[in-house]
């Protein structure tokens, strides 16, 4: 980012803050659209829903909505953010194992596109609420595909014995239960297997499971309208400049090749759309020489970007102020937690108090997971497009 981040312009702003490269976001959305239309040339309707939990910054959502994406929401709050960005209710899906009653009411009254239902118990409540409101709610069953031996490190939500979805072996019973409920309509199947998936062949076992589930529905003489295959496409955290846009084409093609259905397909992407365009900008507070390590103590912390502390996630770190020879640093935040570390033994241009540090690829699960821990203020966001900095 050295050179491309206009330090002077933000010199009087309190660090840390998020900085979003709006050109990159637009390029990403354009390539996403191209990859989708070039993979599925048919008139088949298909839709990408942006997973708001990755980032619900209103300026970014406005742009995402402008490119025609729908929304995958986990709460009533996210549904409201999606609506405010101009995403129509029909393009909103509502996912989550623990939907609250007031959020279900909001979604039913809006007539959102789809509930992704994760248990029969939940479906009963949606049915009750819809009945009382004299409405009919469209839903998909979220199926836990349990890919067992086919699961890899990042394929975490699609395995046995976790809280997500209905185990595929229990789908028939769930469908039978749903048939008895008058105010809900089964319209599709939904899946989501994990996140930061870089090898798109990891999706092949999912496709096979989906094909199996479709066979099951056929034998039960149940027809549905579409399939939602979830999200999880990964990005290159190590080399953000090499491949700034995720490989959407391979992602779409694996489904095109391995799914045996003519039904419309829906996708739910979060990270791959917004992660590359965001950086957390911090300043060096102190350079501390330790016994074996040099520490670059920065003013950004796990309060603004929790992924390294929570998941040991890697982010590329750059000193965007200094051109001096590189040295090795442990880059740490000021919080009194062992895990408040952004990177160990990181090579950075020699650091001085006041240098700007960019923590790259922080646009997903960064700002949206920021907290007030230690009474720290929530980080502000700035944009490469001046029209958005108000
Ligand atoms: C988090 C989530 C997504 C988005 O995942 P990414 O890894 O950010 O693409 C999609 N669908 C569901 C149900 C999710 O929980």
């Amino acid at each position: 980012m050295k050179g491309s981040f206009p330090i002077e312009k933000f010199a009087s702003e309190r660090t840390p803050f998020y900085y979003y490269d709006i050109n990159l976001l637009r390029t990403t959305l354009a390539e996403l659209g191209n990859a989708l239309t070039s993979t599925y040339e048919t008139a088949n309707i298909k839709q990408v829903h942006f997973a708001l939990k990755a980032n619900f910054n209103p300026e970014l959502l406005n742009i995402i909505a402008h490119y025609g994406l729908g929304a995958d929401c986990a709460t009533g709050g996210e549904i409201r953010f999606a609506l405010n960005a101009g995403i129509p209710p029909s393009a909103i899906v509502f996912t989550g194992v623990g939907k609250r009653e007031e959020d279900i009411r909001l979604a039913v009254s809006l007539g959102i596109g789809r509930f992704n239902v994760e248990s029969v118990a939940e479906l009963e409540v949606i049915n009750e609420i819809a009945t009382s409101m004299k409405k009919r709610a469209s839903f998909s069953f979220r199926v836990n595909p349990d890919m067992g031996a086919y699961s890899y490190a990042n394929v975490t939500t699609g395995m046995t014995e976790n809280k997500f979805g209905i185990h595929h072996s229990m789908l028939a019973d769930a469908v039978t239960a749903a048939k008895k409920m008058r105010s809900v309509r089964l319209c599709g199947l939904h899946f989501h297997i994990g996140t930061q998936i870089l090898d798109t062949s990891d999706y092949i076992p999912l496709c096979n499971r989906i094909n199996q589930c479709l066979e099951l529905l056929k034998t039960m003489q149940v027809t549905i309208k579409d399939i939602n295959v979830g999200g999880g496409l990964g990005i290159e955290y190590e080399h953000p400049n090499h491949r700034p846009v995720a490989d959407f084409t391979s992602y779409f093609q694996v489904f095109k090749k391995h799914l045996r259905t003519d039904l419309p397909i829906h996708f739910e992407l979060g990270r791959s759309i917004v992660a590359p365009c965001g950086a957390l900008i911090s300043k060096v507070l102190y350079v501390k020489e330790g016994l074996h390590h040099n520490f670059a103590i920065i003013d950004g912390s796990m309060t603004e970007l929790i992924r390294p502390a929570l998941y040991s996630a890697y982010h590329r770190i750059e000193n965007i102020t200094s051109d001096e020879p590189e040295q090795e640093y442990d880059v740490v935040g000021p919080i009194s937690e062992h895990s408040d570390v952004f990177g160990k033994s990181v090579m950075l241009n020699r650091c001085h108090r006041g240098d700007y540090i960019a923590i790259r690829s922080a646009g997903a699960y960064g700002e949206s997971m920021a907290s007030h821990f230690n009474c720290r203020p929530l980080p502000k966001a700035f944009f490469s497009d001046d029209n958005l900095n108000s």
Side-chain angles (χ1 to χ4, degrees):
M1 276 189 58
K2 214 185 289 270
S4 72
F5 173 71
I7 293 170
E8 331 71 54
K9 222 156 81 186
F10 300 102
S12 60
E13 295 295 342
R14 181 188 202 278
T15 48
F17 56 80
Y18 277 93
Y19 179 73
Y20 294 104
D21 179 344
I22 296 302
N23 286 335
L24 178 54
L25 178 61
R26 290 184 189 282
T27 306
T28 302
L29 290 163
E31 289 199 19
L32 175 72
N34 289 340
L36 189 60
T37 46
S38 64
T39 308
Y40 291 93
E41 298 117 347
T42 59
N44 226 358
I45 312 154
K46 59 267 155 188
Q47 174 127 44
V48 176
H49 300 271
F50 174 65
L52 263 78
K53 74 179 194 285
N55 196 318
F56 54 87
N57 183 297
E59 303 291 355
L60 303 188
L61 288 183
N62 286 339
I63 295 169
I64 289 166
H66 183 79
Y67 280 77
L69 276 73
D72 169 35
C73 299
T75 60
E78 287 188 355
I79 292 173
R80 288 196 177 88
F81 269 66
L83 291 174
N84 285 343
I87 296 174
S90 61
I92 294 177
V93 302
F94 183 16
T95 314
V97 290
K99 298 180 186 74
R100 300 173 64 89
E101 196 173 314
E102 69 260 31
D103 291 353
I104 294 172
R105 260 177 219 292
L106 171 72
V108 171
S109 69
L110 287 168
I112 61 153
R114 201 65 58 82
F115 284 87
N116 289 330
V117 168
E118 309 221 13
S119 64
V120 173
E122 175 197 330
L123 188 63
E124 281 166 357
V125 172
I126 297 173
N127 185 54
E128 240 169 63
I129 290 173
T131 304
S132 74
M133 297 173 81
K134 300 197 165 51
K135 298 247 188 187
R136 195 139 189 242
S138 298
F139 79 97
S140 299
F141 270 128
R142 176 172 181 175
V143 179
N144 179 333
D146 182 11
M147 300 166 352
Y150 295 105
S151 297
Y152 304 92
N154 292 309
V155 183
T156 50
T157 59
M159 291 157 64
T160 332
E161 286 300 283
N162 67 38
K163 65 182 179 180
F164 301 106
I166 292 168
H167 193 266
H168 63 90
S169 66
M170 298 168 78
L171 177 61
D173 287 347
V175 170
T176 305
K179 278 183 179 164
K180 299 190 189 111
M181 302 184 205
R182 291 296 171 80
S183 302
V184 288
R185 184 188 309 144
L186 176 62
C187 297
L189 295 180
H190 172 246
F191 302 80
H192 174 65
I193 58 169
T195 194
Q196 185 52 18
I197 296 168
L198 281 169
D199 182 351
T200 50
S201 68
D202 286 1
Y203 288 106
I204 296 173
L206 170 64
C207 292
N208 296 338
R209 184 67 83 200
I210 295 174
N211 292 334
Q212 235 177 35
C213 291
L214 289 173
E215 283 298 316
L216 171 75
L217 292 189
K218 208 186 267 175
T219 61
M220 295 181 77
Q221 290 174 323
V222 172
T223 52
I224 55 171
K225 295 185 189 166
D226 53 47
I227 308 284
N228 183 330
V229 300
L233 179 63
I235 64 141
E236 298 257 359
Y237 281 97
E238 278 80 13
H239 304 291
N241 298 339
H242 290 188
R243 195 196 252 286
V245 178
D247 190 358
F248 296 118
T249 301
S250 307
Y251 173 70
F252 292 131
Q253 277 178 351
V254 75
F255 292 103
K256 161 109 172 165
K257 182 155 176 231
H258 294 277
L259 280 183
R260 287 195 302 273
T261 177
D262 292 327
L263 290 172
I265 315 232
H266 291 229
F267 303 88
E268 290 170 346
L269 295 171
R271 183 189 309 277
S272 52
I273 294 173
V274 289
C277 74
L280 182 67
I281 307 292
S282 299
K283 267 196 244 179
V284 175
L285 289 173
Y286 304 104
V287 177
K288 171 164 150 178
E289 290 179 18
L291 195 55
H292 304 293
H293 298 255
N294 285 330
F295 295 92
I297 301 170
I298 64 175
D299 56 9
S301 74
M302 61 191 283
T303 311
E304 293 78 36
L305 176 62
I306 201 173
R307 298 187 65 254
L310 192 58
Y311 313 115
S312 303
Y314 173 87
H315 285 267
R316 187 178 157 82
I317 305 172
E318 297 167 2
N319 183 340
I320 53 178
T321 318
S322 162
D323 280 321
E324 294 175 39
E326 290 190 342
Q327 284 196 347
E328 199 175 290
Y329 298 93
D330 286 5
V331 180
V332 303
I335 307 275
S336 182
E337 281 280 347
H338 276 295
S339 58
D340 189 27
V341 173
F342 287 109
K344 291 194 167 155
S345 305
V346 181
M347 297 305 293
L348 293 178
N349 296 104
R350 188 197 310 262
C351 292
H352 305 276
R353 175 170 165 81
D355 282 354
Y356 279 83
I357 301 291
I359 301 175
R360 304 285 308 274
S361 315
Y365 307 106
E367 191 183 357
S368 67
M369 294 177 92
S371 76
H372 277 301
F373 189 45
N374 270 200
C375 293
R376 291 165 66 88
L378 288 175
K380 279 197 194 174
F382 296 99
F383 308 89
S384 61
D385 181 338
D386 275 337
N387 298 325
L388 305 180
N389 295 320
S390 48

